[in-house]
Amino acid sequence: MAENSLFAILLRSPWWVSLAIAAVLALIARLLLPADYAVVGMLGIGLPFVLIGALAARRQLRAPSRRQLEAALAQMRTLGGEPLVAAAAHAWQADGWQVARHAGAGADLVLERAGRCRLLSLRRWKAASTGIEPLRELQAACARRDGADGIYVHGGELSDKARDFARTHGLTLLPAAELAHKLAASGALRSGR
């Protein structure tokens, strides 16, 4: 699904937004359609939004609270390299990815699922600012893996050149807060991984 499609935006929005849209569309269908077709029109136009609202509600109910995210980020800061890599491996495995250690420079983990390969770099996530060099290393590692996608975790600011390099080479920039969300949601930090 495209990141900025209507349904993708609604999945990221509060669940009730989709249900409100479904209700408004159903009301419009009820008012505009003849009585014989009103129920079918209301269901046909509103059902996709009800389903998106249900999916969003399910995600939001399972999502960690703000307190849990802050605790996960604080715990991430105390972890050394290996425990954090192990926790990240657990989180991606919980999402259905096959995870292996990356041998070589530029990345820490190899993530594979459904024929897709991604390299994850956690090497300098605590840095206050990041330049282009660690992204070049990740991109080179991706090139050695037959064009795998790259994910670079960062906790600080990225230089404009680093952002441009990532965009040009198709690297995903993952803020540490989003990694903390993933780790908290998967239970990777609670379980001591």
Side-chain angles (χ1 to χ4, degrees):
M1 182 181 313
E3 185 177 327
N4 291 323
S5 70
L6 175 62
F7 291 130
I9 291 169
L10 288 174
L11 279 173
R12 294 188 303 264
S13 300
W15 62 270
W16 56 266
V17 171
S18 296
L19 295 183
I21 291 172
V24 168
L25 291 176
L27 179 63
I28 291 171
R30 173 68 180 105
L31 294 174
L32 295 179
L33 293 174
D36 295 344
Y37 301 109
V39 173
V40 173
M42 290 167 56
L43 287 174
I45 200 165
L47 188 61
F49 293 96
V50 169
L51 293 175
I52 291 294
L55 284 172
R58 182 173 174 238
R59 283 184 179 181
Q60 290 165 19
L61 287 173
R62 291 183 174 187
S65 68
R66 180 177 300 278
R67 182 178 297 149
Q68 290 170 320
L69 289 177
E70 289 170 1
L73 196 52
Q75 190 174 355
M76 278 175 52
R77 287 185 185 112
T78 65
L79 291 177
E82 287 303 313
L84 182 60
V85 170
H90 174 77
W92 262 273
Q93 284 173 334
D95 270 351
W97 290 84
Q98 297 218 327
V99 179
R101 293 291 303 199
H102 180 263
D108 296 295
L109 294 173
V110 178
L111 314 170
E112 293 182 300
R113 179 172 68 184
R116 186 174 185 189
C117 181
R118 302 185 92 180
L119 298 182
L120 177 69
S121 177
L122 296 156
R123 296 182 175 210
R124 296 184 192 172
W125 81 270
K126 289 183 183 182
S129 65
T130 300
I132 199 169
E133 192 53 39
L135 295 172
R136 279 192 179 138
E137 291 173 7
L138 177 58
Q139 194 275 329
C142 290
R144 287 190 299 273
R145 290 278 302 190
D146 297 324
D149 297 329
I151 304 171
Y152 182 80
V153 178
H154 64 94
E157 293 297 316
L158 290 161
S159 70
D160 291 338
K161 286 185 179 183
R163 286 188 188 283
D164 290 342
F165 184 87
R167 190 177 311 112
T168 302
H169 291 89
L171 300 175
T172 302
L173 300 172
L174 184 68
E178 288 185 33
L179 177 61
H181 182 277
K182 188 171 195 65
L183 296 178
S186 70
L189 294 176
R190 278 192 312 270
S191 60
R193 287 177 170 76

